[in-house]
Amino acid sequence: MFNIEEWLPFLLAKTYQHTLTLMRSALDEFKLTPPQFVTLAFLWRRDGINQQELGTLMNVDRTTISGLLERLERLELVQRGQDPRDRRSWVIFVTKKGKALKEKLLPKLDRVSKEISRTLTLKEQETLIKLLNKIRLA
Amino acid sequence: MFNIEEWLPFLLAKTYQHTLTLMRSALDEFKLTPPQFVTLAFLWRRDGINQQELGTLMNVDRTTISGLLERLERLELVQRGQDPRDRRSWVIFVTKKGKALKEKLLPKLDRVSKEISRTLTLKEQETLIKLLNKIRLA
DNA sequence: TTAATATAATCAGTACACTGACTTTATTAT
DNA sequence: ATAATAAAGTCAGTGTACTGATTATATTAA
């Protein structure tokens, strides 16, 4: 018998929604959304790439990246400049303001993942990450 | 050091997106979206409830349920009728057409969850479901 | 009973996330 | 060198998912 509540896609959807709620309250004071934070987190590591490359790293559609960066630019956290070697693409840079957020945001977001998995033992947390990674990289 | 790719919320987001892609191709021929299917699956079990109750079961916001049902009604898969005992609420019914989909959809969707977790052993699949459930019901 | 509160649903507005069409610039093939 | 193709990004349109405001109906308290 099919039980939707034990169906993997449903469980993933709901646990993900739950993390979104926690992230939103953590990010609220910064006027940032969860996907905007994730985008920043990728750019902190890999500055100066183009939208295509960023989308590939993040597993996000090109049109979605477009909008995300537009909003991050409006917040003055990133800046897009022309790539002299390929005039089709933008090169994305994190601004000083965007870099300054790093120290404040990381501890907050660390707490989010602890909060989500607070009912799991440390070993279970590791297992969960391992299994999700196995699916993701399949 | 913070590594976004091993961060639980990110992993949940990406595995969930992956399941959405698989679901979309499974549901394509039925002109149904993943959340629309989930809604139907809940209604197959619990017909005649109102939007509030459905939202609670599904963990979905009241306004989201509103839109989902409007689209399912447009597809003639559900129908909303007045509740004589409380004129504020609708009572939701699955139509004959909506019930008929059950036999066709369930096997398709069963295959989706198998496909997602095809790189996991059976034991790992059980573990994953157990851990996600633990988070969800926390 | 009337007034204050609460509840069910909708509406307006914002942000993802995707598809498909389009523009601009690069690359490749003839 | 030109034509065909591909790639980077944007735009329009649809569907979630949310917040906050509003409407209509119920419930509760004075």
Side-chain angles (χ1 to χ4, degrees):
Chain A
M1 239 299 288
F2 178 75
N3 180 11
I4 185 108
E5 270 142 339
E6 301 266 322
W7 189 50
L8 197 44
F10 177 73
L11 281 171
L12 285 169
K14 292 308 141 179
T15 43
Y16 174 52
Q17 292 302 327
H18 182 46
T19 69
L20 279 181
T21 305
L22 294 175
M23 276 196 268
R24 274 190 208 107
S25 41
L27 292 168
D28 218 38
E29 57 177 303
F30 302 98
K31 307 275 181 206
L32 276 179
T33 65
Q36 286 166 16
F37 161 73
V38 171
T39 308
L40 263 186
F42 272 92
L43 289 172
W44 285 331
R45 267 205 329 211
R46 292 281 310 266
D47 215 11
I49 60 180
N50 65 28
Q51 300 189 185
Q52 179 63 38
E53 289 163 333
L54 180 58
T56 303
L57 288 176
M58 294 177 61
N59 266 263
V60 166
D61 186 83
R62 67 208 186 294
T63 58
T64 302
I65 289 286
S66 229
L68 274 167
L69 289 178
E70 194 202 311
R71 288 181 287 275
L72 285 173
E73 206 169 24
R74 206 187 301 147
L75 293 168
E76 296 176 352
L77 299 178
V78 308
Q79 213 185 332
R80 282 182 283 191
Q82 285 219 340
D83 184 341
R85 290 166 313 169
D86 189 337
R87 294 195 327 223
R88 287 171 304 180
S89 53
W90 298 103
V91 188
I92 310 154
F93 294 104
V94 183
T95 62
K96 211 170 275 181
K97 199 173 159 190
K99 281 175 184 152
L101 277 183
K102 192 169 172 177
E103 304 312 312
K104 288 182 195 170
L105 283 180
L106 291 192
K108 287 249 170 202
L109 275 296
D110 219 37
R111 239 170 291 146
V112 167
S113 85
K114 282 207 177 65
E115 169 68 15
I116 305 158
S117 48
R118 76 175 200 289
T119 53
L120 305 185
T121 65
L122 270 182
K123 191 158 181 79
E124 283 175 328
Q125 294 178 28
E126 277 170 34
T127 304
L128 180 56
I129 288 176
K130 196 194 78 191
L131 295 179
L132 291 176
N133 242 321
K134 215 165 163 183
I135 288 177
R136 175 164 145 67
L137 304 174
Chain B
M1 238 299 288
F2 178 75
N3 181 11
I4 185 107
E5 270 142 338
E6 302 266 322
W7 190 49
L8 197 45
F10 177 73
L11 281 171
L12 285 170
K14 291 309 142 179
T15 44
Y16 174 52
Q17 291 303 328
H18 182 46
T19 69
L20 279 180
T21 305
L22 293 175
M23 276 196 268
R24 275 190 207 105
S25 41
L27 292 168
D28 218 38
E29 57 177 303
F30 301 99
K31 306 279 182 205
L32 275 179
T33 65
Q36 285 165 16
F37 162 73
V38 171
T39 308
L40 262 187
F42 271 92
L43 288 172
W44 284 331
R45 266 204 331 211
R46 293 280 310 266
D47 216 12
I49 60 180
N50 65 27
Q51 300 188 185
Q52 179 63 38
E53 289 163 334
L54 181 57
T56 303
L57 287 176
M58 293 178 61
N59 268 260
V60 166
D61 186 83
R62 68 211 185 291
T63 59
T64 303
I65 289 285
S66 229
L68 274 167
L69 289 177
E70 194 202 311
R71 289 180 286 275
L72 284 173
E73 205 168 25
R74 205 188 302 148
L75 293 167
E76 296 175 351
L77 299 176
V78 308
Q79 213 185 332
R80 282 183 283 191
Q82 285 219 341
D83 183 342
R85 289 167 313 169
D86 189 336
R87 294 197 326 226
R88 288 171 303 181
S89 54
W90 297 104
V91 188
I92 309 154
F93 294 104
V94 183
T95 62
K96 212 171 273 183
K97 200 173 159 189
K99 282 174 185 153
L101 277 182
K102 191 169 172 178
E103 305 311 314
K104 288 181 193 171
L105 284 180
L106 290 191
K108 287 249 172 201
L109 276 296
D110 219 37
R111 239 171 289 147
V112 167
S113 84
K114 283 208 178 64
E115 170 67 17
I116 306 158
S117 49
R118 76 174 199 290
T119 53
L120 305 185
T121 65
L122 270 182
K123 192 160 181 77
E124 283 175 328
Q125 294 178 28
E126 277 170 33
T127 305
L128 180 57
I129 288 176
K130 195 193 79 192
L131 295 178
L132 291 176
N133 243 320
K134 214 165 164 183
I135 289 178
R136 174 163 146 67
L137 304 175

